[in-house]
C-alpha cells in the first residue's frame, strides 16, 4: 500500500529532537521555529514530559470515559488555574477541528439556533461544521456545504452589527490571531464588540484558541488581550506538546446533559498526562512570560529590516510579510541556514516556535534572516 499523497513534504527525515532543535537522519541540526505547526509548546522531548508520559504508560495508557478519571479532574483544576478561568468546565477531545465542532454544536444546543458567524480567511479545521466555517472553498466538500455559516469581513464592526440584525445568530467563532490566514491579530475593540453583541442577542462567543492559545501570544488565550471573556474557548496544538489532545472550556452558564457530547479517545490517561506535563512546565519555567519577552524582541528586531513589508503577531506567533521577490526566503532559511519556519499564503513566513525559545535562538534566526533576504 502507498500513502494517500495529500501533503507536499520537505525531503527531510527527522530522527531526533530536543528543546528547540531537531536533527535529521544524517545528523544535521536544525533550529525549529515551526514546532510541527505550533504544536511543540514546551520544547521537544522535554525531560519532565517524557517522564510523566513514560510513568503513566507503565500504569495505564488508556481507558474510556466510562470510569472515573482523577487525571481529568487534575487537568481541569490546573488548566483553570494557569488560564485564569477557574469557573469554566472542561470537555476533552482529540484535535482542534473536533474542539471547534463541539463548540459550535454546544452553542446550537444552548440557544437552539443555526446561524454561525465566521470571518474571511478563518481556519477552524476539517470536520464538517469546522470546515464549513473555514474560508477556503478548496477544502469544503459538497457534503459539507451549508448556508448556516455567514462569512463577514475581518474587523468590520458595521457588517457584524448588520448580521446580528439579519440573522438569529447562534454563535460567533473567531481566532484571536488568525494563523493559516496569515497572522492577523484581532483588535481588542473588535473582540469587545463581539462580546457585547453576543450578550445583547444571547449568542455564543467562541474563541478559537487552537493555534493562538496556550500561552503562545504572551497571554494564556490571545483573546484575553481584549479584557473580555468568551463563552467557549477551543484549544489543541500546544496543549499536548505533540500528544494528540484537544479541548473546549465552557462558561458556567452552560449545563451538561449526559450524552450531549462524547468521544472514545478524548481525555484518556496518556493524553491527560501529556497535558499536565505541559501545564506544569509552562508554570515552572514561566513560559508565557518568555513567549512575550522573546516574541517582542523578535518582532522589534524584524521591523528594522527595510525589505520586510510588515511584521504582525503577538508573543511567539509572528508573521513576517515579505514582498513577492523574497518568496525564496523560507526555503533559503531551511536549506542553507537549517532553520524550520512556517508559511502562510501568499508570502508570509510564520514563526511558531516552542514557548521556551531563547534570545540566543532568536539572534541566530535574525542573523540568518538578514543574510537570506539579502541573497
Ligand atoms: C485556528 C485553528 N483552528 C483549528 C485548527 C484545526 O486543528 P486540527 O488540525 O488539530 O484539527 C487549526 C489547525 O491548524 C487552526 O490553526
Amino acid at each position: 500500500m502507498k500513502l494517500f499523497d495529500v501533503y507536499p513534504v520537505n525531503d527531510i527525515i527527522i530522527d531526533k529532537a530536543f528543546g528547540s532543535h531537531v536533527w535529521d537522519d544524517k545528523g544535521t541540526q536544525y533550529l525549529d521555529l515551526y514546532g510541527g505547526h505550533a504544536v511543540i509548546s514546551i520544547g521537544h522531548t522535554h525531560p519532565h514530559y517524557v517522564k510523566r508520559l513514560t510513568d503513566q504508560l507503565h500504569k495505564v495508557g488508556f481507558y474510556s470515559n466510562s470510569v472515573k478519571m482523577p487525571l481529568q479532574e487534575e487537568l481541569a483544576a490546573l488548566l483553570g488555574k494557569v488560564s485564569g478561568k477557574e469557573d469554566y468546565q472542561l470537555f476533552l477531545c482529540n484535535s482542534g477541528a473536533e474542539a471547534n465542532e463541539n463548540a459550535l454544536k454546544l452553542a446550537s444546543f444552548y440557544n437552539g439556533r443555526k446561524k454561525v458567524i465566521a470571518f474571511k480567511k478563518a481556519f477552524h479545521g476539517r470536520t464538517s461544521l469546522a470546515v464549513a466555517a473555514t474560508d477556503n472553498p478548496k477544502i469544503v466538500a459538497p457534503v459539507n456545504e451549508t448556508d448556516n455559516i455567514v462569512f463577514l469581513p475581518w474587523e468590520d464592526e458595521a457588517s457584524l452589527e448588520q448580521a446580528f440584525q439579519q440573522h438569529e445568530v447562534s454563535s460567533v467563532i473567531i481566532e484571536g490571531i488568525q494563523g493559516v490566514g496569515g497572522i492577523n491579530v484581532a483588535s481588542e475593540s473588535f473582540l469587545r464588540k463581539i462580546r457585547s453583541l453576543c450578550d445583547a442577542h444571547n449568542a455564543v462567543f467562541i474563541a478559537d484558541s487552537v493555534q493562538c492559545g496556550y500561552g503562545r501570544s504572551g497571554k494564556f488565550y490571545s483573546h484575553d488581550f481584549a479584557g473580555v471573556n468568551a463563552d467557549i474557548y477551543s484549544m489543541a496544538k500546544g496543549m499536548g506538546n505533540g500528544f494528540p489532545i484537544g479541548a473546549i472550556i465552557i462558561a458556567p452558564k452552560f449545563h451538561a446533559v449526559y450524552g450531549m457530547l462524547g468521544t472514545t479517545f478524548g481525555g484518556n490517561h496518556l493524553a491527560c498526562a501529556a497535558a499536565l506535563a505541559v501545564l506544569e512546565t509552562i508554570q515552572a519555567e514561566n513560559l508565557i512570560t518568555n513567549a512575550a519577552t522573546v516574541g517582542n524582541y523578535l518582532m522589534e528586531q524584524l521591523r528594522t529590516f527595510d525589505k520586510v513589508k510588515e511584521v504582525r503577531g503577538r508573543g511567539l506567533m509572528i508573521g513576517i510579510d515579505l514582498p513577492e521577490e523574497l518568496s525564496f526566503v523560507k526555503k533559503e532559511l531551511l536549506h542553507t541556514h537549517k532553520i524550520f519556519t512556517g508559511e502562510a499564503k501568499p508570502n508570509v513566513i510564520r514563526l511558531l516556535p516552542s514557548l521556551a525559545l531563547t534570545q540566543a535562538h532568536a539572534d541566530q534566526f535574525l542573523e540568518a534572516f538578514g543574510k537570506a533576504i539579502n541573497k
Side-chain angles (χ1 to χ4, degrees):
M1 193 190 292
K2 59 177 190 161
L3 298 173
F4 197 55
D5 193 12
V6 287
Y7 301 112
V9 297
N10 290 304
D11 188 16
I12 296 172
I13 297 171
I14 292 179
D15 208 30
K16 200 175 88 173
F18 186 73
S20 290
H21 290 103
V22 296
W23 288 262
D24 70 13
D25 54 346
K26 295 168 199 87
T28 308
Q29 177 178 295
Y30 293 80
L31 178 64
D32 185 11
L33 302 188
Y34 170 59
H37 212 84
V39 166
I40 299 302
S41 47
I42 58 168
H44 291 279
T45 61
H46 189 289
H48 177 59
Y49 176 83
V50 172
K51 181 166 188 325
R52 220 182 196 295
L53 271 167
T54 310
D55 290 350
Q56 187 59 47
L57 194 52
H58 283 293
K59 289 206 283 185
V60 49
F62 174 83
Y63 208 79
S64 78
N65 286 294
S66 60
V67 293
K68 276 194 167 178
M69 280 199 229
L71 276 173
Q72 290 188 356
E73 311 275 341
E74 208 185 313
L75 176 55
L78 190 56
L79 177 56
K81 188 167 165 225
V82 178
S83 67
K85 312 254 185 262
E86 275 167 299
D87 55 344
Y88 281 57
Q89 309 157 81
L90 175 67
F91 176 76
L92 292 162
C93 57
N94 310 288
S95 68
E98 212 187 315
N100 285 330
E101 196 81 16
N102 280 297
L104 293 163
K105 259 169 88 169
L106 186 57
S108 178
F109 278 133
Y110 171 75
N111 54 25
R113 303 182 193 154
K114 295 181 180 175
K115 289 279 182 205
V116 173
I117 293 179
F119 296 95
K120 291 278 176 203
K121 293 198 179 174
F123 187 93
H124 298 298
R126 291 165 184 274
T127 56
S128 62
L129 200 46
V131 84
T134 289
D135 184 24
N136 179 359
K138 279 197 221 143
I139 63 167
V140 179
V143 73
N144 302 132
E145 282 167 16
T146 164
D147 57 11
N148 285 331
I149 314 290
V150 181
F151 283 106
L152 299 182
W154 182 246
E155 290 274 313
D156 183 340
E157 295 194 8
S159 68
L160 185 63
E161 274 176 10
Q162 204 181 7
F164 269 92
Q165 296 308 323
Q166 283 171 347
H167 306 283
E168 285 267 282
V169 175
S170 174
S171 57
V172 179
I173 183 165
I174 183 168
E175 296 156 79
I177 305 169
Q178 286 189 330
V180 176
I183 312 293
N184 304 310
V185 181
S187 70
E188 293 159 29
S189 65
F190 195 59
L191 294 173
R192 285 201 282 262
K193 187 79 190 171
I194 293 174
R195 178 69 278 167
S196 70
L197 285 166
C198 284
D199 283 342
H201 296 266
N202 194 30
V204 175
F205 180 174
I206 300 172
D208 181 341
S209 302
V210 169
Q211 188 167 150
C212 58
Y214 246 77
R216 177 159 296 285
S217 69
K219 288 197 187 283
F220 196 86
Y221 297 114
S222 70
H223 304 74
D224 288 346
F225 282 95
V228 290
N229 280 328
D231 299 307
I232 304 176
Y233 295 80
S234 59
M235 62 215 77
K237 294 200 187 286
M239 187 175 189
N241 199 47
F243 197 96
I245 180 168
I248 49 176
I249 62 159
I250 304 158
K253 69 181 179 191
F254 294 84
H255 298 293
V257 175
Y258 284 159
M260 183 186 217
L261 305 177
T263 156
T264 299
F265 292 121
N268 68 70
H269 294 73
L270 267 184
C272 287
L276 279 162
V278 168
L279 287 174
E280 286 157 358
T281 307
I282 284 177
Q283 269 192 317
E285 298 181 6
N286 285 319
L287 293 185
I288 302 183
T289 308
N290 187 66
T293 311
V294 179
N296 284 341
Y297 172 71
L298 262 172
M299 282 189 281
E300 258 169 40
Q301 296 298 313
L302 283 165
R303 288 189 178 115
T304 65
F305 291 97
D306 292 342
K307 291 186 177 174
V308 170
K309 266 186 12 196
E310 196 181 12
V311 179
R312 298 186 291 270
R314 264 183 172 141
L316 287 172
M317 182 162 180
I318 300 174
I320 312 167
D321 204 336
L322 295 175
E324 169 67 33
E325 65 269 20
L326 292 182
S327 59
F328 65 89
V329 168
K330 183 175 181 292
K331 284 215 162 80
E332 176 70 10
L333 286 168
L334 181 61
H335 297 300
T336 306
H337 301 280
K338 309 296 177 202
I339 299 177
F340 273 98
T341 58
E343 68 182 334
K345 302 278 180 273
N347 271 319
V348 180
I349 291 185
R350 261 197 292 172
L351 304 184
L352 303 162
S354 146
L355 309 186
L357 194 81
T358 63
Q359 182 160 338
H361 296 139
D363 285 331
Q364 184 192 335
F365 168 71
L366 290 164
E367 197 187 325
F369 182 75
K371 285 185 187 151
I373 58 172
N374 287 313
K375 198 178 166 179

